[in-house]
Amino acid sequence: MSTYTPSPTRWRALAVLAAAQFLIIMDTSIIGVALPDMQQSLGFGGLLLVGGKLSDIFGARRIFTAGFWILTVASLAAGLANTPTLEIVARAAQGVGAALIAPSALPERA
């Protein structure tokens, strides 16, 4: 009978996943009220399908990591923005990062 030995890095992985989900939920709640008006004015669609396809091509871990860093840097830039243009660009980058994280954090599909 074999004994299961959990990975010592499992808590670090859980912390990274939890932090990424926290950033996504926080950013979603911040701009959730304005999103319908923004979508109607700008005519943009979702990037989740692109994020999922990139995860399939390049690997979920690689895309998750890229999305996490994009979202983190963009969140910092949005928080420090001193012009409306920088704020809009940073918010758009947050959307790209979140669109990469969300599908790549899902379990593998068969």
Side-chain angles (χ1 to χ4, degrees), residues 1-87:
M1 186 163 91
S2 68
T3 307
Y4 172 72
T5 305
S7 171
T9 61
R10 70 184 184 279
W11 295 112
R12 184 173 39 197
L14 179 62
V16 169
L17 287 170
Q21 288 300 325
F22 172 75
L23 286 172
I24 291 170
I25 297 301
M26 182 181 64
D27 291 334
T28 300
S29 65
I30 289 171
I31 64 168
V33 173
L35 192 59
D37 291 337
M38 290 168 47
Q39 185 174 11
Q40 187 176 19
S41 296
L42 300 174
F44 68 87
L47 294 174
L48 288 173
L49 292 175
V50 174
K53 185 63 174 177
L54 290 173
S55 292
D56 291 341
I57 294 171
F58 297 108
R61 179 181 285 183
R62 183 176 287 159
I63 298 303
F64 178 90
T65 303
F68 183 79
W69 283 111
I70 290 169
L71 182 58
T72 301
V73 171
S75 295
L76 180 63
L80 298 174
N82 56 3
T83 66
T85 302
L86 181 56
E87 179 74 22

